[in-house]
Amino acid sequence: SYELTQPPSVSVSPGQTASITCSGNKLGDKYACWYQQKPGQSPVVVIYQNSKRPSGIPERFSGSNSGNTATLTISGTQAMDEADYYCQAWDSSTNVFGTGTKVTVL
Amino acid sequence: EVQLVESGGGLVQPGRSLRLSCAASGFTFDDYAMHWVRQAPGKGLEWVSGISWNSGNIGYADSVKGRFTISRDNAKNSLYLQMNSLRAEDTALYYCAKDIYGDYGFGDNWFDPWGQGTLVTVSS
């Protein structure tokens, strides 16, 4: 079965850039999206179709996808960005989520 | 406002059954595919099942195939998940989520919004 691997944790200082990777076989040939989940809340999409931002999502969130890796970048990270982040892709009509990354803003 | 409200969770013994429901409002329910996603306590997200707008396309994760059945009633704006032969590893918060398209599997589907979830605990 298809697997998406993320680093368990990423730490970033306020105002700095956080990069979260999502690795999967030929992931660049698929669409990736990213969800943010804060404690006790349901996931919310922050990036879809590799690099598009839904309305209401701040410009500091951006995405890319190439080769075997999709990347979510948070520029000028704020304390409110502290959350778990999950990538998502489809493989043969089966949805797959990444293992998840906890972003800590120190 | 789009709303998804799950219900039907609870404590159930291993091997027993449970039926989850998701009541949808604020959008044209029969225009969209719907999904169930679960999250075990302290763990990540796992897609469980999806169903297209007209129930013509249905899929399951390998972990639940043959035990769970997804269905929908467009007249009642409701999504269901019948869970049989429950196991301890099925313990999780079960979310209902709306797809952005009427069908899924195209590769660029994503989920928005998600409900608040209903907790299923499988234990003797």
Side-chain angles (χ1 to χ4, degrees), chain B residues 11-110:
Chain B
L11 174 63
V12 61
Q13 294 179 327
R16 304 298 292 266
S17 299
L18 208 58
R19 189 195 197 205
L20 305 183
S21 299
C22 172
S25 60
F27 65 102
T28 305
F29 183 70
D30 55 11
D31 275 352
Y32 296 95
M34 298 292 296
H35 302 267
W36 289 100
V37 179
R38 68 185 180 183
Q39 186 169 34
K43 302 296 184 183
L45 302 173
E46 179 187 16
W47 179 77
V48 173
S49 182
I51 185 169
S52 63
W53 69 277
N54 64 351
S55 304
N57 183 16
I58 288 176
Y60 300 96
D62 288 344
S63 57
V64 307
K65 201 172 293 183
R67 299 187 299 122
F68 289 11
T69 301
I70 191 173
S71 63
R72 64 190 295 162
D73 186 335
N74 288 343
K76 295 183 178 179
N77 289 345
S78 293
L79 175 71
Y80 306 102
L81 185 68
Q82 177 67 41
M83 304 186 295
N84 299 332
S85 303
L86 283 162
R87 305 167 180 167
E89 53 265 36
D90 295 319
T91 294
L93 186 64
Y94 284 74
Y95 292 104
C96 163
K98 171 184 160 293
D99 200 300
I100 60 159
Y101 297 129
D103 201 353
Y104 72 92
F106 303 132
D108 64 343
N109 301 73
W110 43 282

Side-chain angles (χ1 to χ4, degrees), chain A residues 31 35 37 42 45 48-49 90, chain B residues 39 95 108-111 115:
Chain A
Y31 279 114
Y35 297 90
Q37 185 180 34
S42 303
V45 63
Y48 67 96
Q49 290 180 359
W90 288 85
Chain B
Q39 186 169 34
Y95 292 104
D108 64 343
N109 301 73
W110 43 282
F111 305 155

Side-chain angles (χ1 to χ4, degrees), chain A residues 2 4 25-32 50 65 89-92, chain B residues 107:
Chain A
Y2 195 75
L4 295 173
N25 186 40
K26 298 183 179 180
L27 181 56
D29 292 344
K30 309 177 189 297
Y31 279 114
N50 297 330
N65 186 16
W90 288 85
D91 180 68
S92 302

